[in-house]
Amino acid sequence: MTTDTRRLRLLSANIQAGSSTRRYSDYVTRSWSHAISAGKRVSLDSIAKMAGEHDIVGLQEADPGSLRSGFTNQTHYLAEQGGFDFWSHQTNRNVGRVASSANGLLSKVEPMEVSDHALPGRIGGRGVLMARFGTGDDGLVVAVAHLSLGAASRHSQLAFIAELLADHPHAVLMGDFNCVPDRPEMELLYKRTHLRPPSFCVPTFPSWRPQRAIDHILVSERIQFADARAIPAAFSDHLALAMSIDVPHSALR
């Protein structure tokens, strides 16, 4: 880090709406925990403590307020408990009032603008949340996304995201990509934007025996980064991914 840059601590976390999954069988035997709010406050408080040690946090599978969360907007709750002055969320999937899912953004740095975009795909319910922290094309842009399971849908989603980020030399894309970084569809990002492939992979899934690197924080070539590491996100089936970046002060003004 130099005097011309500011260090920002980033975190990306699929929080599974505060649910507990510690083995594959829990997806069946504990499926009730995805539909009611019991016990989630303890998990959220743990996630808030972890998130509060960072400057900008991207959330996936945060419940924006349904039965399973006790009608609590989890992004707002984490912002309050984690000490974030700025927050935003994007509801992507709403199953009546029983369960909803959203991308979320928590920040201790004031964004100049936040926008959300629905992502294309064979099945709807995916989106990207984008925050701009500086003026002009050189300003820092941070995008949070949760991509589809299918490769064809991911291809169209990454093409859409590449178009959003193409003109931004100081960009970060974080989230649950549901694929490793060297998949063919990921090449769209590396060819059409300033984002670069990660220099090493950090396995994040499943959280109890991490084997697959499917959660990523991608940064553009002008941004220096360090300290990429996985952190337990309470009892989520994903580990959270943390990274420090050095951003030019000019990209934050």
Side-chain angles (χ1 to χ4, degrees), residues 31-249:
S31 59
W32 55 268
S33 71
H34 296 272
I36 62 175
S37 60
K40 290 188 171 67
R41 191 59 57 91
V42 174
S43 292
L44 289 177
D45 287 344
S46 174
I47 293 168
K49 182 177 180 181
M50 170 188 65
E53 298 175 355
H54 299 82
D55 300 301
I56 301 175
V57 177
L59 302 172
Q60 305 91 51
E61 292 193 28
D63 196 298
S66 66
L67 177 63
R68 70 171 174 175
S69 66
F71 300 102
T72 297
N73 185 316
Q74 293 180 336
T75 303
H76 185 199
Y77 181 85
L78 292 174
E80 288 188 326
Q81 298 301 311
F84 293 90
D85 291 330
F86 310 100
W87 68 277
S88 185
H89 78 282
Q90 173 195 29
T91 301
N92 295 312
R93 189 166 296 163
N94 191 352
V95 184
R97 291 173 60 84
V98 176
S100 300
S101 187
N103 291 327
L105 178 77
L106 313 174
S107 182
K108 295 177 180 176
V109 183
E110 183 175 8
M112 299 187 64
E113 179 185 33
V114 178
S115 58
D116 64 80
H117 308 267
L119 288 175
R122 187 173 62 85
I123 300 174
R126 303 283 181 175
V128 58
L129 184 62
M130 192 164 75
R132 182 167 59 86
F133 292 90
T135 58
D137 290 341
D138 278 344
L140 175 67
V141 171
V142 176
V144 180
H146 189 182
L147 304 184
S148 292
L149 294 169
S153 290
R154 284 198 305 270
H155 186 280
S156 60
Q157 291 164 359
L158 289 166
F160 182 90
I161 292 172
E163 187 173 345
L164 290 177
L165 299 180
D167 296 329
H168 298 283
H170 298 104
V172 174
L173 174 62
M174 66 171 81
D176 177 358
F177 288 53
N178 272 313
C179 70
V180 295
D182 59 354
R183 284 283 305 175
E185 61 268 26
M186 292 288 286
E187 291 296 324
L188 289 170
L189 289 176
Y190 313 139
K191 291 178 179 178
R192 301 181 186 179
T193 75
H194 297 271
L195 296 171
R196 58 189 175 188
S199 56
F200 55 91
C201 293
V202 181
T204 55
F205 183 86
S207 58
W208 56 91
R209 190 181 298 169
Q211 296 175 332
R212 299 182 63 208
I214 62 174
D215 299 271
H216 307 296
I217 301 177
L218 303 180
V219 301
S220 58
E221 54 205 7
R222 293 191 188 180
I223 297 176
Q224 299 297 314
F225 67 93
D227 304 328
R229 63 198 186 282
I231 307 171
F235 305 118
S236 172
D237 56 350
H238 289 247
L239 297 176
L241 187 64
M243 178 186 290
S244 297
I245 63 172
D246 295 332
V247 182
H249 285 293

